[in-house]
C-alpha cells in the first residue's frame, strides 16, 4: 500500500477475462476495495514518437469488461540511450468511439491487418499525469 491507501500489483493472468498479457495492472483502493484495470500497451520504435502516429488497439480486448484505461508506451530503441516513453492514457470508452480497421484490410503502411483493431492517434491519448493523479488522489479528478 502506498501513502494514499492504494495497492498496486502487476501480475500475469494470461487468457483471463480481464488480462491478456503480463503488463496489465489492477489497482485496488484500500478502503473501498474498488479496482481500476489498466491495460498497458508498448510499441517498439527506433524513431522519436511523433504526434501524427497511429496506434492500433484490438477490438476483442476493448470489449472485455474491466478494461478501464489504456496506457500507451513506446520503447524508444536507440543505440546510445534506449528508454521507455509513457505517451499517455485513454479511457476504454473513448477507444470504443474510434474507427475500426477490419481484419484483412491494409493499414497506412501497407501491412495487412490481422484482426479487427480500433485506430487511435497519439493525440487521442491524455497526459499520463492525469491518470496518476486520479489513481492516487481521488476519482473526482477525471
Amino acid at each position: 500500500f502506498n501513502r494514499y491507501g492504494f495497492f498496486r500489483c502487476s501480475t500475469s493472468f494470461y487468457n483471463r477475462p480481464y488480462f491478456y498479457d503480463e503488463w496489465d495492472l489492477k489497482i485496488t483502493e484500500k478502503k473501498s476495495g474498488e479496482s481500476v484495470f489498466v491495460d498497458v500497451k508498448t510499441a517498439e520504435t527506433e524513431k522519436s514518437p511523433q504526434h501524427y502516429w497511429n496506434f492500433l488497439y484490438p477490438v476483442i480486448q476493448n470489449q472485455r469488461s474491466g478494461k478501464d484505461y489504456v496506457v500507451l508506451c513506446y520503447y524508444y530503441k536507440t543505440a546510445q540511450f534506449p528508454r521507455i516513453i509513457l505517451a499517455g492514457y485513454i479511457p476504454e470508452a473513448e477507444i470504443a468511439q474510434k474507427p475500426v480497421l477490419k481484419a484483412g484490410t491494409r493499414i497506412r503502411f501497407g501491412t495487412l491487418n490481422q484482426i479487427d483493431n480500433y485506430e487511435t492517434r497519439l493525440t487521442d491519448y491524455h497526459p499520463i499525469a492525469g491518470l496518476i493523479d486520479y489513481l492516487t488522489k481521488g476519482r473526482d479528478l477525471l
Side-chain angles (χ1 to χ4, degrees):
F1 295 98
N2 67 16
R3 65 184 180 162
Y4 302 105
F6 285 89
F7 174 73
R8 188 173 72 165
C9 174
S10 176
T11 312
S12 175
F13 292 96
Y14 190 72
N15 283 334
R16 299 274 175 106
Y18 297 117
F19 297 97
Y20 288 87
D21 57 46
E22 64 185 1
W23 300 109
D24 291 335
L25 301 172
K26 176 184 177 184
I27 303 168
T28 303
E29 202 276 326
K30 181 180 176 181
K31 292 180 183 175
S32 70
E34 291 182 41
S35 296
V36 174
F37 295 90
V38 180
D39 194 18
V40 179
K41 293 296 181 191
T42 306
E44 184 176 325
T45 181
E46 293 181 1
K47 299 179 181 181
S48 179
Q50 301 296 312
H51 71 280
Y52 56 84
W53 283 12
N54 292 353
F55 181 78
L56 302 179
Y57 189 80
V59 170
I60 189 71
Q61 287 189 358
N62 206 56
Q63 292 175 341
R64 296 287 185 168
S65 61
K67 295 277 187 170
D68 300 312
Y69 300 97
V70 174
V71 171
L72 177 60
C73 303
Y74 283 100
Y75 174 56
Y76 184 30
K77 189 175 163 184
T78 64
Q80 292 178 314
F81 187 63
R83 62 186 185 256
I84 297 287
I85 297 170
L86 295 174
Y89 79 95
I90 187 170
E92 176 276 334
E94 287 184 29
I95 291 177
Q97 301 303 312
K98 301 300 175 190
V100 174
L101 300 176
K102 293 290 190 184
T105 60
R106 298 226 176 251
I107 62 171
R108 193 165 85 175
F109 299 105
T111 306
L112 189 63
N113 202 23
Q114 300 294 314
I115 60 173
D116 291 352
N117 285 295
Y118 289 106
E119 182 180 32
T120 65
R121 300 185 187 284
L122 189 54
T123 55
D124 294 333
Y125 291 78
H126 309 284
I128 197 71
L131 182 60
I132 293 170
D133 284 347
Y134 168 73
L135 294 172
T136 59
K137 297 178 183 169
R139 303 201 180 222
D140 297 331
L141 295 173
L142 293 182

